[in-house]
Amino acid sequence: MRNVIVSFTLIAALVLSFNVMFTFAVPTQEYSCLNASYFLVDKTDKSVSRERLIAFKLPAQTPYFNQGTRWIKKLVGMPGDTIKVTKSSVFVNDIEYKNDMNTLLMKLNMDAASVEREMVLDDDEYFVVGETYLSYDSRFWGVISQKDVIGNAYAIL
C-alpha cells in the first residue's frame, strides 16, 4: 500500500510540475490560421525571436474576439523593423511573407485600404501573422508587446 501512495504522489507531482511549465493548446477558432492542429506552449520561456511560434493574449478588443483571448501566431516583426502590409503580403524589412487576405477581407466585409499600411515597430512592439489565408492577425488588430506573451509554442500535429 505504501508503494502505491508513494507512486501516486510522484506521478501527481510530475503532472503538476508539467502543468505549471507547459500547456497543450488546441485552436478553437472556426478557421485555422496555422498549419498545425495541436501545440505545446512552454510557459517558462517568454523570450521572443523572429520566425518562432508564440502564444499570447490578444492585446485589443476586436469585433470578433475579446481582448485577452489566447492565440498562437508566428512572430515576424521585431522592434525597429519596417512593416508594410498589402492585401497579398506582409513585408518585414523587405522580406515578403505571402498571405493573400482577399478571402478574409470579404468574409469580414472590409476593404484592403482599411488594413494596408506601412509602419516602423517601436520598442516592445511585435508583429505576428498566421500561415493560412484566413488568418486574423496583426494586419487587422495591431501589434503585441512582451507583456502579452504567454510563452513559446511548438506545433505538435
Side-chain angles (χ1 to χ4, degrees), residues 4 6 8 15 18 23 53 58-59 73 80 97 124 130-131 140:
V4 171
V6 170
F8 179 76
V15 168
F18 183 86
T23 189
L53 293 178
L58 186 64
K73 302 280 184 194
Y97 294 87
D124 197 35
E131 299 169 324
F140 295 91

Side-chain angles (χ1 to χ4, degrees), residues 54-84:
I54 58 167
F56 60 94
K57 294 177 188 168
L58 186 64
Q61 182 69 32
T62 76
Y64 312 101
F65 298 96
N66 291 326
Q67 183 174 5
T69 301
R70 294 177 182 191
W71 278 9
I72 297 173
K73 302 280 184 194
K74 181 189 255 184
L75 190 146
V76 296
M78 305 283 287
D81 286 348
T82 299
I83 308 292
K84 181 179 179 183

Side-chain angles (χ1 to χ4, degrees), residues 88-127:
S88 61
S89 297
V90 172
F91 295 88
V92 180
N93 301 329
D94 295 322
I95 297 170
E96 183 178 21
Y97 294 87
K98 266 201 152 330
N99 194 327
D100 192 319
M101 65 176 130
N102 281 321
T103 303
L104 188 55
L105 288 169
M106 286 187 301
K107 279 185 122 1
L108 300 177
N109 198 26
M110 296 173 70
D111 63 355
S114 64
V115 293
E116 291 181 320
R117 64 188 175 284
E118 192 165 338
M119 60 199 260
V120 175
L121 297 178
D122 286 334
D123 291 344
D124 197 35
E125 287 187 335
Y126 302 91
F127 199 89

